[in-house]
Amino acid sequence: MSRAALSALLAVALASKFAFAQPDPADPTPLVDKTYAYPSGIPYQVDYNTAAIRGPQVGYNICNSTTENQNSMCQTSMVNHIDDFCLWAPPMPNSTIGDTEQEEVAWCTKPGHGTRLIPQGVLQGVQLLKTSAYIQITGFLDQVQVNMAADDYGGELDPHGADLRGNPLGGLMYSNAFPSNGGNNNSYQQVIEWTNFMGGDAFCITICDPATSASDQSAYCQNIYDRMGCSYNMPSNAANGTFEVCDADLKTPAGIYVTNGVTMTYSQPASGDVTPPYTPVVPASSNCVTYQSAALYTSLPTPTLVPAATSGVPGASHSGAVSGSSTSSGAPATSTSNGAITVGVSSVAGILGTLFAMAFLS
């Protein structure tokens, strides 16, 4: 599909989202329009306006050695490499993503970012895909250790939200991994478009290269299919127990599919079951390198939490509505071969599927 055709299709899909999403009048600048040089240009709080409809921002954005501990409220995140990335998760134990999406804090795999650290052994399989437009990481984890309720099938975090202030409010994302950064590990670029699904003892996160076009960033890091989960937004063949980095082809953005030679766009319903009329395809990957988790994740704290009482709502999310019936946390996926594979909705257990397909405020 040509870039022009893709942009035209996405324009239709995005229009339905942003027709109802307006900047909060008390803080009119959308989060995606707030740019700050790292680290000197970052304010203490990005979303400082306490008069806004949601808020105030619960954490802070200036993060350093003085804020790095397991109670950190740092809301400045990083995605760099398989051994150095962060996920958004709640600040308080036994929380659901739907109830705390505006409050999430950064949990990272490596010290030095001023954040909380993902405890040892919590990550149980990670696949990083490098493409010409984005970096995608999918994997499996013990979500209780990052303060999520054991039965939470979760939802999506992104820099938009219904009031364009982001989930979490004021959450910033940076990376040193894109080619436009010149390979300088000490220099970080702000990532404008990103998306992170958490839940069902699994996760997926994509950050889009800020040097690519705005249409490409909107395509590959879109947030309008928040109820369709990882299998549609970030198709992969991540396997529980495997840690690997691969080069990959570009995915077909969620909602776009071809039937009988005609390119179609699926619009996610505002409520009710989500039943896309197509099967997502995992892009071809190559040059995969595997690692041992013990060599990747060092200097991390020992897990301290034990599974708490469940939230009381199976698959708890913002609305409590489950799309899809699977309750599996994910079994080992199929082969990580270089050829593209097709992933059916019924393959939830293997490919991080509709276990994330939850309704919540995006």
Side-chain angles (χ1 to χ4, degrees):
M1 182 184 304
S2 69
R3 294 291 177 92
L6 178 60
S7 296
L9 288 168
L10 284 167
V12 174
L14 290 170
S16 64
K17 171 75 175 184
F18 292 109
F20 303 100
Q22 299 295 329
D24 190 322
D27 190 8
T29 304
L31 179 59
V32 294
D33 292 333
K34 297 179 178 181
T35 56
Y36 308 99
Y38 184 90
S40 60
I42 297 177
Y44 177 71
Q45 285 186 317
V46 167
D47 195 275
Y48 54 84
N49 196 326
T50 59
I53 296 171
R54 291 196 300 156
Q57 179 178 349
V58 300
Y60 40 78
N61 298 103
I62 295 180
C63 309
N64 50 43
S65 60
T66 67
T67 66
E68 186 167 284
N69 56 67
Q70 293 307 91
N71 295 311
S72 176
M73 294 300 292
C74 177
Q75 293 179 305
T76 297
S77 187
M78 297 280 180
V79 173
N80 297 319
H81 307 284
I82 190 172
D83 65 335
D84 186 9
F85 66 91
C86 309
L87 299 171
W88 295 111
M92 298 297 292
N94 201 33
S95 299
T96 66
I97 295 295
D99 288 337
T100 62
E101 59 188 0
Q102 68 191 51
E103 304 171 3
E104 314 302 22
V105 297
W107 293 73
C108 301
T109 65
K110 192 172 186 177
H113 302 311
T115 68
R116 301 185 189 205
L117 297 174
I118 298 173
Q120 296 174 9
V122 170
L123 295 174
Q124 299 166 358
V126 177
Q127 181 189 65
L128 185 149
L129 299 181
K130 298 183 293 182
T131 78
S132 61
Y134 59 85
I135 292 170
Q136 173 180 300
I137 306 178
T138 54
F140 302 84
L141 80 167
D142 176 2
Q143 67 186 33
V144 170
Q145 301 299 329
V146 291
N147 285 348
M148 292 178 63
D151 64 344
D152 184 20
Y153 282 86
E156 183 201 34
L157 294 313
D158 61 68
H160 296 277
D163 55 9
L164 306 186
R165 297 170 64 200
N167 287 312
L169 296 175
L172 296 180
M173 181 72 68
Y174 290 85
S175 179
N176 65 12
F178 291 114
S180 55
N181 198 43
N184 184 354
N185 289 339
N186 295 316
S187 178
Y188 295 89
Q189 296 172 291
Q190 184 174 351
V191 176
I192 305 304
E193 294 287 359
W194 53 267
T195 179
N196 178 194
F197 285 83
M198 299 288 292
D201 281 333
F203 69 90
C204 59
I205 184 169
T206 294
I207 62 168
C208 282
D209 188 341
T212 62
S213 68
S215 61
D216 278 357
Q217 293 182 59
S218 296
Y220 298 118
C221 285
Q222 59 183 306
N223 66 308
I224 61 175
Y225 295 99
D226 47 14
R227 299 175 63 216
M228 287 166 53
C230 284
S231 65
Y232 283 89
N233 286 274
M234 305 179 214
S236 80
N237 48 22
N240 203 335
T242 298
F243 297 79
E244 66 178 358
V245 175
C246 305
D247 294 329
D249 292 348
L250 294 171
K251 63 187 174 184
T252 299
I256 297 176
Y257 64 101
V258 177
T259 181
N260 297 323
V262 179
T263 300
M264 308 287 287
T265 299
Y266 169 74
S267 296
Q268 173 187 283
S271 61
D273 291 341
V274 177
T275 54
Y278 70 98
T279 298
V281 176
V282 177
S285 60
S286 61
N287 303 321
C288 295
V289 178
T290 59
Y291 298 87
Q292 296 298 315
S293 61
L296 290 174
Y297 308 116
T298 59
S299 304
L300 296 178
T302 301
T304 59
L305 298 177
V306 296
T310 60
S311 66
V313 181
S317 72
H318 184 81
S319 70
V322 179
S323 175
S325 59
S326 173
T327 57
S328 171
S329 62
T334 53
S335 169
T336 57
S337 64
N338 295 342
I341 60 175
T342 300
V343 184
V345 176
S346 62
S347 302
V348 172
I351 309 294
L352 313 182
T354 52
L355 57 95
F356 295 129
M358 312 301 301
F360 61 95
L361 181 63
S362 65

